[in-house]
Amino acid sequence: MEKAYKERIVYQIYPSSFYDSNNDGWGDLKGITEKLDYLKDLGVGIIWLSPIYASPMYDMGYDISDYKAINPRFGTMEDFDCLLHEANIRDIKIVMDLVLNHSSSENKWFLEAINNPTTKYRNYYYFEKGKGRNAKRPPNNWQSIFVGSAWEPLVQDPTIYYLHLYCKEQVDLNYHCEDLVKDIEDIMKFWLDKGVYGFRCDAVCNLYKTSLANGKHRIVQTGREFYEDQEGLHTLLRKLRKDVLNNYDTFMVGEVPSATVDISNDYIKNKEFEMVFTFEHQNVDKGRFIPTIKRFYRPRNLLKILFKYQEGCAYCANYLENHDQLRSVSRFVKEKYRNEGAKAYSMLLLTLKGTPFLYQGQEIGMTNLSEEPKKVEDSRDVVVTNIYNLARKFHFPKKLALRITKHMNRDNERTPMQWNDSVNAGFNKGWKPWLGVNTNYLDKHINVKDEAEDHDSIYNFYKDMIKFRNESEILKKGTFVRLKSHKDVAKFVRTYKGHKLLIVINLSSHKIADNDKIDRKMLLSNYRQDFIKMMPPYFCAIYEIA
Ligand code: TEU
């Protein structure tokens, strides 16, 4: 029997924004349970839940204060058990988001560690003496990935600093400490014994710090050479696999911002992860050194990277957007072709080799914010606040300081799911949501209800595409061979047991001719006719070929 993660599509839910069943402004677990039939009908086989653990929510739950408790904002452990049960009845598996690089500064481990230096929990984190007169300087020159120094002085003793590669409320865990590793293994078993199918491992490439020496000076992430993809991390992951994961039918996907094809294969071939989220394709329209800068997007640059992984990576986790990346239809498609373009990218995502990951709202073509925040207080993203405050420290005017956060503002992809044309797009019954609803649920009819009734909607195309993939052994198990074509055209053949599918996708807003003589039968297309000779903008089609 083939492993479930190879047979199914994964749907990422951002719980705060999915469905608010008790009308308190926050999505919740009961809301997800209420929407399971929607997900089943869409063709979802696995749900990845962004963190639902107890958390003060400085980084929207990626700062965990209790790994074995549910954040009351989302509900109770009984609500989670009910969700798990109802999902399993529908043959939908649940994957949790495990944030191992750091815990919340309100986690009891950290509170113990700072109030009682002789406790074992002191070794769960990195506490180092400051440098210079009165230890006024941080222990080394490392930078936080979320801007500024990676060190914060303790209130209890400002000459002692603690390490945080993300925000200061996310305190890095020290995996040299065996007691910590035991606690982490216990946490994994706790959730796996409940019947969770596996984990998405957050920022996992940074887990193991080989040294705390000063790093080579860089524009961002000084110090990364001592914590990215270290040998000690591979040893740790293999230990978790041997001690815990091998005893379950499970799957782990690691988030590896540093990934290359070779680095991905290191994790997969050693069975540390079944697959990894890579980021090269996500950086295709971002500044090479400063990610806040937007670069002109060209489909050919995306395809070059995706195909490199298709041909070189042992197993691919295919995704176009998530809770950290701007909405793909806003990023990659010209507004006037939003319908055709969203469909073209859905076909790309669902015909590539590997497991497709769909982010909530992608199936209805949800977009970035319809208007930028007027003041920094309007944003709920800690990254925006940190970049803004740094810019203000350098005396940037308020407007400019906010403007430079535009392409990093993760609120864009975290607005409430748009279910229908009622108040708050049906996200709840009217209470003010934690983050504003995008107004295009009404003026552009971007909502599940309207799109379900529209034969030609993005939603209905996603449903057709997901059904096609779920039923195609070729797409689930077949090989991938790229064919020569225009640089902005994805043209490739998937083959399994002698059966072949040809996929042709014009990812540009231009007409592009394709004059190959391959004998073919069209099975699915967003234009519903075969324009292969002169492909209109964002034309996409799947063909059966001999
Ligand atoms: O993100 C990991 C990561 O490397 C971030 O730099 C990510 O690429 C960034 O958020 C993009 O703007 C993970 C989670 O996905 C993210 O939501 C968390 O904020 C972060 O870790 C810290 O836990």
Side-chain angles (χ1 to χ4, degrees), residues 278-473:
T278 60
F279 278 58
E280 270 191 80
H281 68 296
Q282 286 296 341
N283 297 330
V284 75
D285 59 351
K286 291 176 188 163
R288 282 186 211 290
F289 303 104
I290 305 181
T292 52
I293 293 170
K294 177 144 176 46
R295 241 186 318 151
F296 181 67
Y297 169 68
R298 305 190 77 181
R300 62 191 65 184
N301 297 337
L302 179 78
L303 287 179
K304 210 160 77 182
I305 296 167
L306 289 178
F307 289 163
K308 178 174 69 171
Y309 281 84
Q310 285 288 295
E311 289 158 354
C313 194
Y315 193 85
C316 293
N318 300 311
Y319 74 103
L320 292 173
E321 59 184 80
N322 62 29
H323 66 294
D324 287 332
Q325 305 295 340
L326 299 178
R327 287 287 183 180
S328 56
V329 75
S330 297
R331 255 175 115 176
F332 304 140
V333 176
K334 285 228 177 336
E335 174 50 33
K336 70 187 263 197
Y337 297 109
R338 195 175 62 83
N339 183 287
E340 298 84 350
K343 293 173 181 175
Y345 279 89
S346 79
M347 184 175 283
L348 180 65
L349 175 71
L350 289 154
T351 55
L352 286 174
K353 183 173 60 118
T355 298
F357 286 75
L358 192 54
Y359 177 55
Q360 72 179 43
Q362 184 177 345
E363 75 271 26
I364 57 172
M366 276 179 69
T367 70
N368 288 344
L369 293 167
S370 33
E371 54 183 51
E372 292 178 44
K374 302 249 182 320
K375 51 190 189 314
V376 69
E377 292 75 16
D378 293 341
S379 171
R380 304 299 297 261
D381 183 2
V382 64
V383 171
V384 169
T385 313
N386 288 3
I387 294 173
Y388 176 88
N389 290 339
L390 182 70
R392 292 290 288 144
K393 243 165 75 178
F394 286 97
H395 310 299
F396 278 51
K398 283 186 181 175
K399 259 193 174 344
L400 179 58
L402 195 55
R403 181 86 185 74
I404 61 174
T405 68
K406 178 174 165 44
H407 302 300
M408 295 296 284
N409 182 356
R410 300 179 296 178
D411 293 346
N412 279 295
E413 55 270 21
R414 299 175 176 184
T415 56
M417 180 69 182
Q418 296 165 197
W419 293 103
N420 55 47
D421 55 3
S422 71
V423 66
N424 291 338
F427 168 65
N428 63 15
K429 295 275 181 295
W431 194 261
K432 185 174 189 293
W434 73 280
L435 182 65
V437 176
N438 194 315
T439 52
N440 59 23
Y441 81 92
L442 214 51
D443 54 40
K444 294 224 171 89
H445 304 286
I446 300 176
N447 67 70
V448 171
K449 177 176 166 292
D450 288 354
E451 293 203 24
E453 290 158 7
D454 170 3
H455 173 66
D456 201 29
S457 68
I458 294 167
Y459 169 70
N460 278 318
F461 191 80
Y462 259 99
K463 276 189 74 176
D464 293 346
M465 266 311 310
I466 294 168
K467 184 172 183 301
F468 189 102
R469 187 192 183 277
N470 282 340
E471 293 169 358
S472 168
E473 292 304 296

